[in-house]
């Protein structure tokens, strides 16, 4: 994937994430901190918080990818330095690692 396409996709992802983070944040604020009235299971506010978490993590990954585009490291695994396959970048333009290093990083978590 060429750099211009990657940047375009990352920027639109960032835009989209900012939008959903705004919506989710408004949702969690409205519900306040109390989930006592909802009985067992996840409340809407809990769900919104979990989604907000995930969106925030993805936003960080997208920003890091944009930074790698700026300093020329984009498309290279941040762990082992080998090229991240194009197919993987097509599916996840924010991917920072090759498949092997990514699964290793996830096991570490
Ligand atoms: Zn790697």
């Amino acid at each position: 994937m060429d750099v211009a396409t990657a940047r375009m996709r990352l920027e639109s992802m960032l835009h989209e994430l900012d939008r959903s983070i705004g919506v989710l944040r408004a949702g969690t604020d409205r519900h306040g901190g109390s989930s006592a009235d909802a009985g067992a299971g996840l409340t809407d506010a809990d769900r919104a918080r979990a989604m907000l978490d995930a969106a925030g993590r993805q936003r960080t990954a997208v920003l890091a990818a944009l930074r790698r585009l700026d300093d020329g490291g984009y498309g290279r695994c941040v762990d082992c330095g080998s090229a991240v396959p194009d197919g993987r970048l097509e599916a996840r333009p924010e991917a920072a690692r090759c498949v092997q290093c990514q699964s290793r990083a996830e096991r570490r978590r």
Side-chain angles (χ1 to χ4, degrees), residues 16-80:
E16 194 54 35
L17 283 166
D18 280 342
R19 209 179 55 84
S20 26
I21 286 170
V23 171
L24 288 166
R25 215 168 256 157
T28 51
D29 283 351
R30 197 170 45 246
H31 290 290
S34 100
S35 50
D37 55 342
L42 287 176
T43 64
D44 284 349
D46 289 335
R47 259 192 298 272
R49 255 191 296 275
M51 283 166 69
L52 198 54
D53 255 26
R57 268 195 302 274
Q58 206 193 355
R59 189 176 186 281
T60 306
V62 169
L63 283 175
L66 282 166
R67 216 172 303 132
R68 287 195 303 279
L69 272 175
D70 285 336
D71 46 82
Y74 185 75
R76 243 161 235 298
C77 174
V78 295
D79 281 356
C80 70

Side-chain angles (χ1 to χ4, degrees), residues 15 68 90 96 104:
H15 178 79
R68 287 195 303 279
E90 290 286 345
R104 209 175 305 141

Side-chain angles (χ1 to χ4, degrees), residues 77 80 82 98 101:
C77 174
C80 70
S82 64
C98 67
C101 292

